[in-house]
Amino acid sequence: MPNTAPQTFNIVLLPGDGVGPEVTRAARDVLSVIGDFYGHQFGFTEQLIGGAAIDATGEALPAETRDACLQADAVLLGAVGGPQWDGGEVRPEQGLLAIRKAMGLFANLRPLQVSPVLAHRSPLKKEIVEGVDLIVFRELTGGVYFGEKTRTADRASDLCEYTVLEIERVARAAFHTARQRRGKVTSVDKANVMETSRLWREVVTRIGAEEFPDVRLEHALVDSMAMHLIRKPRDYDVILTENMFGDILSDEISVLGGSIGLLPSASLGTHGPGLFEPIHGSAPDIAGQDLANPVGAILSAALLLRHSLKLEDEADSIEAAVAAVLSAGAVTADLGGGLGTRGATEAVIDAIRAIHWAAAHRVQMHWA
Ligand code: NAD
Ligand code: IPM
Ligand code: MN
């Protein structure tokens, strides 16, 4: 039931490429239903990014898109990329990196909770994945992604750089979150080889000791972490790591929950709008066939409500509806179900209606 004052919000949608438009549409439909229930006005504006933007304008991030994102209350993105843009002068992925940088989104949160009903869908044993509840804090605007790139006929180089400030701010965000969870941070690096990782470890250790002595901090090397995440994923609470390691480890852990199509993400800065997107890519192999799992995008919409619009009840309501449809087995083919993207979205919308009907009914009973 609505318990917050109705408000008006301006949400920029960046559907992008491949399955991006299909899952963005799903998340938008869910947000519209939430808006109706709670009396909020969600104003949606679509903008071009990635391959779609290259085709239309020659640029992966047109200035109009960047300006609209900077002025929005929040941004919801589908995915970018696809084989048709390989080898081109501009790549779709450059648009995504540029918008993350332009919006100052240095912290990328990628939560994973393994649903008890989906534990059997994981290629790992049920007893290993059941009860997993972790969140990856991936640094998003530094590291090798943004270092100088050079190329000559017989040599290529990608520079990996981190500053103390870049490490401090994402570390603080991770420690804060750990405090509200189970109080443990695992910082992942490659300090046995990389200078940036040695700086990373020093800075994270200092921030932990000086500002968060109540939070347990452990360090892990990324290669053994990749192994431990499969062997004992329940041991982890908050995983803090740099840009490239976070990209790789988060796709790895998506397998624990049964499908990469389930995982949402929130990209946040110190102020201003956040950007919310599923962790999966444009999935060119299933694009345009109503096959994509919309849940990662729908849960990203829930994170958008919670983190950017501060609408906690509304976010909870989407997450409860997703949990209900997963329990009921109303899922897409990646999870062994028979529903398409649209069918799975309708199932979530029906579950939101059911949850609200039940809440309204309880209120009525109470007053009767
Ligand atoms: P991908 O995540 O697109 O796909 C990997 C596998 O997972 C594929 O088999 C795909 O069918 C499956 N999959 C992904 N999303 C799914 C969903 N919602 N439902 C069901 N199955 C799903 O990764 P990829 O194939 O390595 O990359 C394809 C393109 O996407 C590349 O151009 C890459 O750069 C881009 N990409 C973009 C983003 C983003 O926009 N945030 C993220 C990752 C990759
Ligand atoms: C992601 C993607 C992007 C990344 C690509 C498309 C640039 O893999 O969001 O996880 O590497 O950050
Ligand atoms: Mn990725």
Side-chain angles (χ1 to χ4, degrees), residues 186-206:
T186 305
S187 174
V188 180
D189 60 40
K190 185 74 185 169
N192 53 349
V193 173
M194 295 174 70
E195 206 51 51
T196 42
S197 280
R198 287 190 272 275
L199 180 66
W200 182 277
R201 196 175 278 220
E202 265 173 48
V203 173
V204 172
T205 303
R206 174 172 54 76

Side-chain angles (χ1 to χ4, degrees), residues 71-281:
Q71 283 157 27
D73 290 309
V75 180
L76 187 72
L77 182 135
V80 297
Q84 61 270 52
W85 295 284
D86 282 348
E89 223 166 86
V90 189
R91 286 196 63 96
E93 291 83 353
Q94 287 172 265
L96 182 55
L97 300 185
I99 194 64
R100 288 172 177 168
K101 194 72 163 179
M103 293 173 72
L105 307 172
F106 62 83
N108 180 226
L109 287 54
R110 297 185 161 190
L112 170 74
Q113 285 169 325
V114 174
S115 154
V117 286
L118 288 180
H120 72 283
R121 293 291 316 169
S122 170
L124 301 183
K125 291 193 190 89
K126 193 166 175 273
E127 53 274 25
I128 290 183
V129 298
E130 229 167 15
V132 167
D133 178 6
L134 56 80
I135 180 164
V136 176
F137 270 70
R138 170 189 176 194
E139 199 292 325
L140 201 61
T141 50
V144 73
Y145 275 69
F146 292 92
E148 190 193 348
K149 296 180 186 305
T150 57
R151 177 78 184 262
T152 59
D154 60 353
R155 191 176 161 276
S157 155
D158 296 278
L159 186 66
C160 185
E161 270 184 305
Y162 266 108
T163 66
V164 168
L165 188 142
E166 284 173 326
I167 303 168
E168 281 178 345
R169 62 188 182 181
V170 72
R172 283 196 184 99
F175 278 115
H176 268 297
T177 296
R179 225 175 224 170
Q180 291 149 23
R181 292 173 49 99
R182 302 195 302 280
K184 179 176 166 187
V185 170
T186 305
S187 174
V188 180
D189 60 40
K190 185 74 185 169
N192 53 349
V193 173
M194 295 174 70
E195 206 51 51
T196 42
S197 280
R198 287 190 272 275
L199 180 66
W200 182 277
R201 196 175 278 220
E202 265 173 48
V203 173
V204 172
T205 303
R206 174 172 54 76
I207 295 289
E210 287 176 1
E211 300 175 31
F212 301 89
D214 51 316
V215 175
R216 260 181 312 142
L217 169 65
E218 64 180 21
H219 300 277
L221 295 170
V222 64
D223 47 353
S224 70
M225 185 67 179
M227 181 265 294
H228 288 310
L229 275 170
I230 297 295
R231 211 171 58 80
K232 44 167 190 150
R234 262 200 306 266
D235 278 18
Y236 300 103
D237 179 14
V238 174
I239 296 169
L240 164 64
T241 192
E242 61 102 83
N243 205 343
M244 173 82 94
F245 299 157
D247 181 43
I248 297 169
L249 293 181
S250 54
D251 270 31
E252 183 191 4
I253 59 163
S254 77
V255 168
L256 307 173
S259 171
I260 192 168
L262 291 172
L263 270 73
S265 86
S267 302
L268 306 171
T270 39
H271 55 269
L275 183 147
F276 303 84
E277 53 171 319
I279 81 154
H280 64 74

Side-chain angles (χ1 to χ4, degrees), residues 24-41:
T24 306
R25 171 79 192 270
R28 175 195 175 141
D29 289 350
V30 169
L31 282 173
S32 293
V33 170
I34 289 287
D36 290 346
F37 272 114
Y38 287 87
H40 302 306
Q41 288 289 329

